Amino acid sequence: MTTALSIAEILDQPALVPLWPTVGRALDQAESTIYQLAKEGRLPFECLRLGRRRYVRTVDLHRFLGLIPEENGAAPTYQAGASARNDEGPGYQPGPPVEQSDSTAK
């Protein structure tokens, strides 16, 4: 069995990542499970087929894992430490909500 990808490894991926091993390792799932979910259309993001291989947009993977800023302007914070493994506790903590001021009001 392969080990899960760390948050740093996930964030360092190109624009398209292969369904296996990258997405499988990011979700900590076996190859057969990932391909079965893709075949059934049960993955939480779109799977792109290029030739015989299947790919996922990295931004979709980041969004699913909660690694991109929220649309309200609050950026996520990542607490880097001695261990950056996904399964060893919360490393990602959402930032506090940011109030948006109405710049058009006079």
Side-chain angles (χ1 to χ4, degrees), residues 16-100:
L16 285 177
V17 292
L19 188 61
W20 183 260
T22 307
V23 175
R25 288 183 57 207
L27 300 178
D28 201 17
Q29 296 293 316
E31 179 178 7
S32 60
T33 303
I34 291 296
Y35 280 111
Q36 185 65 34
L37 291 173
K39 179 181 176 183
E40 295 171 358
R42 294 179 35 205
L43 284 175
F45 30 72
E46 182 182 8
C47 217
L48 307 169
R49 192 170 206 150
L50 300 173
R52 294 183 59 198
R53 301 198 73 190
R54 294 181 184 188
Y55 293 87
V56 171
R57 287 186 297 262
T58 306
V59 69
D60 293 341
L61 180 62
H62 289 180
R63 185 175 293 121
F64 175 74
L65 296 173
L67 299 175
I68 60 173
E70 298 294 323
E71 292 187 17
N72 65 1
T77 58
Y78 174 68
Q79 299 171 351
S83 173
R85 294 281 314 252
N86 295 345
D87 59 346
E88 293 184 8
Y92 162 79
Q93 298 296 324
V98 177
E99 290 187 30
Q100 301 285 329

